[in-house]
Amino acid sequence: MKILVPIKRVPDAFAKVRLKADGSGIEETGLKFDINPFDEIAMEEAVRIKEKRGCEIIAVSIGASICEEQLRKALAMGADRGILIETEAKYDSFDIARTLFQVVQREKPDLVLMGKQAIDDDSNQVGQMLAAMLDYPQATFASEVVLENGTAKATRETDTGQEVLEFPLPAVITADLRLNEPRYVPLPGIIKARSKPIEKIPLSELGVEMRCSVRVIEMREAPPRKAGRKVENVDELLRLLREEAGVI
C-alpha cells in the first residue's frame, strides 16, 4: 500500500505575522516556518496506518528549494521518501491540484491523505479539486479513518454532527483537527531523515504551468477589536442589540 501526503510550508501557527509596508504580503524576514498543521495531522495519521498494517509513505511539497526543510521534518515523522516539485512561480489552489494530479499519475498511491486546508490562505479547496480531477471518492474533514480490505471508512465532521462514509480505494481524504495529535519527533528520527531520499522534480517536467488565476491584491491589518460592555440584565442586552447594533 502507498500513501501520498502533500505538505505545505506555512508560517508557524504561533509566530507573530507582520505585513510588508506596501501591504503586498507578509514580512518573511525572521519569520519561522513549519509544516501546515493540518498536513502534519495527515502525516501523523499516515504513520499510524504504517505502524498498524505497513505501507509506503511519500511526502510531497510544491515550491522553492527552501521547502526541503519541511520535507525533512515529514521524513523524520516517518515518511519513507520525499518529492519536491520545484517552482518559484506564484500559484493558487487550482494550480496545486493540477500539479498534485500529475504526481498521483506518476506515483499511483492507494490513498491521498492531506490537510483539509492551509492556515495561510484557509482556502479548503485543493483536496476537493484533486478528487474531482482524479474521479476518486473523497471524504473531507475526517476525524477518524479506518482502512481494511481495499476500502476506507471515514468519520467526517459536519455542521450538524458526524457523518460516516465508506468507499473503495484509491481515494482522497482530508484531515480535520480532531483526527489525531501529531507526535513529538525524537532525535533518532531527525538523524535518520537526513539519509532518506528527496526527489527533486522541476515543475516543467510535469507539464504544468502555474496560472495563478486568484491573486492577492492587498493585505491589511485587522482593525482593533472594540472593548466589551457590561449590561445589568437581559432586557438591557436586548435593547442594545436592537437599537445600537441593529442585529435583532
Side-chain angles (χ1 to χ4, degrees), residues 41-42 45 48 113 142-145 175-181:
I41 291 170
E45 192 65 21
R48 294 186 184 190
L113 186 54
S143 59
E144 183 180 1
V145 175
D176 189 72
L177 188 65
R178 297 171 183 81
L179 182 58
N180 60 55
E181 183 176 344

Side-chain angles (χ1 to χ4, degrees), residues 9-15 17 26 31-35 37 119-120:
R9 179 178 185 266
V10 299
D12 184 273
F14 301 101
V17 176
I26 63 172
L31 182 61
K32 181 183 177 183
F33 284 80
D34 205 344
I35 297 176
I119 63 169
D120 54 355

